[in-house]
């Protein structure tokens, strides 16, 4: 896939006209690995230390689809001030790019299942009326039982469709890409 790094932002987000898809998730959920798997190149930084990426990174896929990598949430060692600045960044991003955002892909660890923060994120997206899709990550690490449990817990909060992925095994790449094309073109 043709991929181009557009930039890293904390404020003053570019006012371009690209349609965009957004990737969010708790820090360490496997977001960078998934983006790298999707585009077929190590464009996103896979971190050994969670909670480090504090800016929004944007990539252009195939010269026309903007993929936005939002910093992860829920890392315990982050200070209150940093949490506040994360919130401000995210809120201003969604406010400014509301018209361009086609879908938010909410990444959830298949072994851990939806955390309270994941549920809050889903609730908030519903509230502000932005389409979202749930992506389960690291399925190579989850047992069948853990995977079923995660799916069940998601159903409880009204999520019935998920995209199953493992960056380690290259699983779900086609489904994820198809889903991106669908939301951008549909
Ligand atoms: P991010 O913080 O959400 O961007 O997550 P990273 O992509 O940096 O991954 C966090 C950790 O999980 C790293 O140690 C990765 O090697 C590991 N990881 C990511 N994806 C997978 C996966 O599909 N399977 C397994 N087993 N480990 C993964």
């Amino acid at each position: 896939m043709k991929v181009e790094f557009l930039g890293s932002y904390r404020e003053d987000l570019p006012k371009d006209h690209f349609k965009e898809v957004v990737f969010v998730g708790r820090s360490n959920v496997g977001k960078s690995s998934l983006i790298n798997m999707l585009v077929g190149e190590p464009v996103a930084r896979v971190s050994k230390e969670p909670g480090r990426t504090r800016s929004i990174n944007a990539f252009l896929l195939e010269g026309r689809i903007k993929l936005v990598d939002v910093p992860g949430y829920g890392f315990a060692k982050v200070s209150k001030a940093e949490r506040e600045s994360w919130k401000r960044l995210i809120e201003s991003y969604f406010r400014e790019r509301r018209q361009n955002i086609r879908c938010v892909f909410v990444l959830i660890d298949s072994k851990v299942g939806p955390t309270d923060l994941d549920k809050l994120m889903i609730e908030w997206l519903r509230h502000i009326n932005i389409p979202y899709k749930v992506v389960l990550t690291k399925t190579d690490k989850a047992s069948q039982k853990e995977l079923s449990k995660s799916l069940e817990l998601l159903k409880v909060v009204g999520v019935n469709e998920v995209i199953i992925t493992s960056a380690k095994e290259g699983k779900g790449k086609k489904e994820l890409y198809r889903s991106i094309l669908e939301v951008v073109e549909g």
Side-chain angles (χ1 to χ4, degrees):
M1 184 187 299
K2 198 176 138 221
V3 57
E4 183 190 330
F5 177 65
L6 289 176
S8 198
Y9 315 98
R10 278 173 179 275
E11 50 200 20
D12 296 328
L13 300 159
K15 294 176 175 43
D16 57 60
H17 296 288
F18 294 118
K19 291 177 181 175
E20 57 200 62
V21 292
V22 190
F23 279 40
V24 302
R26 129 187 120 70
S27 69
N28 213 38
V29 71
K31 186 154 53 64
S32 308
S33 304
L34 195 73
I35 292 171
N36 293 342
M37 171 185 89
L38 175 74
V39 304
E41 279 178 51
V43 288
R45 202 172 53 89
V46 175
S47 47
K48 292 220 165 48
E49 252 181 284
R52 296 300 296 271
T53 353
R54 306 316 292 168
S55 44
I56 287 176
N57 293 315
F59 305 93
L60 193 62
L61 310 184
E62 307 291 15
R64 65 193 182 96
I65 305 167
K66 194 161 157 186
L67 187 159
V68 176
D69 178 10
V70 157
Y73 48 77
F75 183 54
K77 284 183 194 163
V78 162
S79 68
K80 191 160 180 263
E82 282 174 279
R83 268 202 295 276
E84 281 303 313
S85 90
W86 180 89
K87 198 162 170 261
R88 265 198 308 277
L89 178 68
I90 302 306
E91 283 174 353
S92 74
Y93 165 68
F94 278 93
R95 200 170 44 242
E96 282 177 39
R97 301 297 293 175
R98 178 73 186 82
Q99 301 307 317
N100 300 67
I101 299 170
R102 290 296 175 272
C103 185
V104 177
F105 289 87
V106 181
L107 275 51
I108 292 176
D109 191 318
S110 56
K111 194 179 174 77
V112 178
T115 64
D116 287 347
L117 286 174
D118 295 328
K119 292 182 202 167
L120 209 59
M121 175 57 84
I122 291 171
E123 276 304 312
W124 184 65
L125 291 169
R126 282 178 183 151
H127 178 71
I128 59 174
N129 209 16
I130 289 184
Y132 67 88
K133 283 181 194 286
V134 170
V135 179
L136 283 180
T137 62
K138 306 191 195 181
T139 51
D140 61 280
K141 267 178 90 176
S143 66
Q144 195 53 50
K145 202 173 160 195
E146 287 165 334
L147 183 61
S148 308
K149 177 90 199 229
S150 295
L151 291 169
E152 209 176 286
L153 290 172
L154 281 163
K155 273 192 189 142
V156 173
V157 292
V159 175
N160 297 305
E161 265 181 62
V162 301
I163 302 170
I164 303 271
T165 68
S166 159
K168 195 178 171 190
E169 294 178 336
K171 187 172 163 187
K173 179 176 169 167
K174 268 192 204 143
E175 289 76 5
L176 188 58
Y177 188 50
R178 201 181 302 136
S179 193
I180 290 174
L181 290 181
E182 238 174 61
V183 297
V184 168
E185 288 163 2

